[in-house]
Amino acid sequence: YESIKKSRDLNQALYSTLHRHDKEWISKVNNQYRKRSWLIRDDEFYKKKDQEYLAKINDSLIKIKKIKQEERITFPKLSKLTRHNFLYDKDKYPLSYALIINNTENHFKFKLRMISNFVISAGKNLVMVKSHFVKMFSIRSNNDLKKVMVELKKVYGLEIRFV
């Protein structure tokens, strides 16, 4: 655009005449100076970037699970921590996308992780008053409590006994 813009500014009448009578030549000259706003990239580029993002996502997951334990792992949060909002493109970055999808938490998974952290810190043979436990983790029904107990045993190998 730069050369055409300059010529148009320098001599508007000449530019208009060329544009009217020789558009092909103007576009040919213009293409020489055109800046590419996008790049054509091959599959190898995206595979390499996908591996880089995998490492960043793993670091972010460790950070959330170890340091910021009270934060729920969500897709936007991981994208923000890795500073890459384009990870939503599952075709270009399939491994990164799969890792994020497999590690995002709904409310139940988040609650389960909080409970497991509590049980691990308190000791594996935890004995607790049922009403305190239910209140502490905002468990609404006996059905939810049963689900939590089953998942704790299945996923983490932890068991809580109630008094």
Side-chain angles (χ1 to χ4, degrees), residues 127-143:
V127 177
M128 231 180 140
V129 177
K130 186 177 181 179
S131 60
H132 292 278
F133 182 80
V134 167
K135 190 173 184 178
M136 183 185 289
F137 293 106
S138 305
I139 298 173
R140 295 190 176 120
S141 66
N142 280 335
N143 200 20

Side-chain angles (χ1 to χ4, degrees), residues 2 21 33 36 44 47 49 54 62 71 74 90 92 103 109 111 116 127-128 138 163:
E2 190 175 303
H21 299 291
Y33 295 96
R36 302 271 178 189
E44 288 302 315
K47 285 178 184 175
K49 282 294 184 187
L54 271 177
I62 290 168
E71 287 190 33
T74 60
K90 61 183 173 187
K92 291 181 182 172
N103 284 286
K109 285 183 178 179
K111 194 177 286 191
S116 68
V127 177
M128 231 180 140
S138 305
V163 181

Side-chain angles (χ1 to χ4, degrees), residues 108-122 126 133 136-139 144-145 148-149 152 156 158 160:
F108 181 75
K109 285 183 178 179
F110 173 65
K111 194 177 286 191
L112 197 63
R113 184 166 58 90
M114 292 295 95
I115 293 170
S116 68
N117 288 342
F118 172 76
V119 172
I120 289 169
S121 66
L126 181 66
F133 182 80
M136 183 185 289
F137 293 106
S138 305
I139 298 173
D144 287 346
L145 181 62
V148 166
M149 300 306 288
L152 269 178
Y156 297 101
L158 301 172
I160 302 171

Side-chain angles (χ1 to χ4, degrees), residues 72-73 104-111:
R72 189 166 74 105
I73 300 170
T104 53
E105 297 174 326
N106 58 19
H107 289 288
F108 181 75
K109 285 183 178 179
F110 173 65
K111 194 177 286 191

